[in-house]
Amino acid sequence: MTTHHLLALETSGHTCSVAVLSRVHGATQAYVERVAGPRGHARHVLALAHSVLAQAQLVPAALSAIAFGQGPGSFTGLRLACGVAQGLALALDIPVVPVDSLGVIAARMAGANAQGTWLVLQDARMHEVYAAAYRADQGHWVCVQAPVLLACSAVAAWVADQAGAWGAQGAAAWVAVGSALQAYPQLEQQLAELGASVQPQTTEPDAETLVRLGEQAWLAGKGLDAALASPAYVRNKVAYTTIERAGGLGGNPAAEPTVQLHEMTAADLDEVLAIERQVQAVPWSRQNFTDALLAGHAGWILRRMGAVLGFALLMDAPDMAHLLLIGIRPDVQRQGLGSRLLQACTAHVRQMGLPALTLEVRASNEPAILFYESHGFSRHGVRRGYYPGPNGREDAWIMTLPVGATA
């Protein structure tokens, strides 16, 4: 059986906690130390690490990886955990494992018998809320809504709009937890009316849960070189400028109710993959997307109120551009989102000075064929047996759109 030891640091909230998970020939033991209080984490974190290592009878060189609470959470606390993890990992030449702090709360509150969807709403102060959703899948937690920042007044509308995509409607049980439910009592009633089981007690991430999630991530190959680690602040800016405040702005910019186009990055892949798996019979893997982004392929996502609604991925070639993938979340289809992504693609093609945009589509996918034809694409050939399917290989139509270059 595997023998390994992980250290975990959690300083994103009011409690500074450190844990060691030691697995030796299948036997597992966790050691945890914590100090409560909103200040002094920098003074305590290394002393706590020394204490748990001593309890586990380990020297730092025995560690296999270091997990840390990546956020969202306290700006100073996130920098502390990340910085300490990086420093120790660099000295020991071991990987770091960033762990979603809101996912730690979901796992901690759900316990060993997690069922359904868990919505975490954590107080971000200034009448704002960090929000994310998770599901337990055979002992592993899956993020179905990446963390976003919302105005408190927008939470109920956002949940009503997004819950279907999380599998949090109908017969599927779902639970709302987090400190925002105590900080903003109106949320409890609003979410109960939407069908949630609400648990309003205050809770924070803890190193004991974090180290177990960190172990799962590390075993799944998600450890990083220490130099690549970074906190997940979620907030795009820490505060408004003095001029912005003088103009009546306060707090921090939250998620917008309008649909916004952004370039795709690696940070979007959890949500992009969730959509890809819903809309494709043979979906791309995370590695496929990662390789495409590293190769410099152009990609875009559409977000509304923090959530990804759709995406497109494009590859430039010498003679034309190739639309590799386009996907719209099923519950928001037929709202013009696909057209908006195609507009981004054609604008890019013109900017690059390429004459045309091409793609493949399953011969049986009549709605998609009609969609592309309505946007000026025409059929230019067939790729025999191009797509795998449940009944064998399926042909693909090659469709092309002439695109004039910008002046």
Side-chain angles (χ1 to χ4, degrees), residues 9-10 12 68-73 78 98-101 210 224 229-233:
L9 313 172
E10 173 46 57
S12 68
F68 69 95
Q70 188 181 31
L78 298 184
V99 180
D100 175 353
S101 297
L210 190 154
L224 298 177
S230 62
Y233 295 123

Side-chain angles (χ1 to χ4, degrees), residues 86-322:
Q86 283 182 301
L88 292 173
L90 283 169
L92 299 169
D93 193 24
I94 57 176
V96 295
V97 186
V99 180
D100 175 353
S101 297
L102 300 189
V104 174
I105 292 174
R108 181 182 185 186
M109 295 296 291
N113 300 310
Q115 299 289 330
T117 301
W118 289 72
L119 171 65
V120 180
L121 300 170
Q122 202 71 350
D123 182 19
R125 301 187 178 183
M126 299 184 291
H127 298 284
E128 292 173 340
V129 175
Y130 296 124
Y134 307 86
R135 288 183 67 83
D137 182 12
Q138 298 181 346
H140 292 262
W141 283 90
V142 178
C143 178
V144 295
Q145 167 59 60
V148 298
L149 177 70
L150 301 171
C152 180
S153 59
V155 169
W158 177 78
V159 171
D161 183 63
Q162 306 297 328
W166 309 333
Q169 290 183 333
W174 65 293
V175 184
V177 298
S179 62
L181 298 172
Q182 277 198 337
Y184 310 107
Q186 69 272 24
L187 290 177
E188 182 174 356
Q189 180 177 351
Q190 291 170 346
L191 295 173
E193 291 173 354
L194 292 172
S197 171
V198 183
Q199 297 183 13
Q201 62 266 41
T202 298
T203 189
E204 289 189 324
D206 70 299
E208 184 173 7
T209 305
L210 190 154
V211 77
R212 296 184 186 279
L213 296 182
E215 181 194 32
Q216 290 181 353
W218 177 69
L219 291 173
K222 295 181 180 179
L224 298 177
D225 184 283
L228 300 177
S230 62
Y233 295 123
V234 176
R235 280 192 163 109
N236 292 325
K237 54 194 295 188
V238 177
Y240 284 110
T241 65
T242 302
I243 293 174
E244 289 170 328
R245 289 185 183 279
L249 296 175
N252 186 82
E256 295 289 339
T258 56
V259 176
Q260 297 177 314
L261 180 75
H262 302 276
E263 291 186 4
M264 186 190 298
T265 71
D268 303 314
L269 291 188
D270 283 338
E271 292 176 276
V272 167
L273 277 168
I275 297 173
E276 170 75 356
R277 291 164 182 159
Q278 288 179 289
V279 301
Q280 297 289 352
V282 184
W284 273 30
S285 68
R286 175 181 289 274
Q287 192 61 52
N288 292 147
F289 280 101
T290 300
D291 290 345
L293 293 178
L294 289 174
H297 296 344
W300 299 270
I301 59 167
L302 292 174
R303 283 191 181 274
R304 182 172 64 209
M305 300 182 75
V308 174
L309 307 181
F311 67 90
L313 193 62
L314 192 70
M315 179 179 70
D316 294 333
D319 56 343
M320 66 177 61
H322 191 157

Side-chain angles (χ1 to χ4, degrees), residues 21 44 58 86 110 169 178 200 215 294 339 364 387 403:
L21 184 147
H44 296 303
L58 295 173
Q86 283 182 301
Q169 290 183 333
E215 181 194 32
L294 289 174
S339 298
S364 62
Y387 286 111
V403 179

Side-chain angles (χ1 to χ4, degrees), residues 281-282 362 387-394:
V282 184
R362 287 180 183 269
Y387 286 111
N391 300 314
R393 309 293 298 187
E394 182 178 353

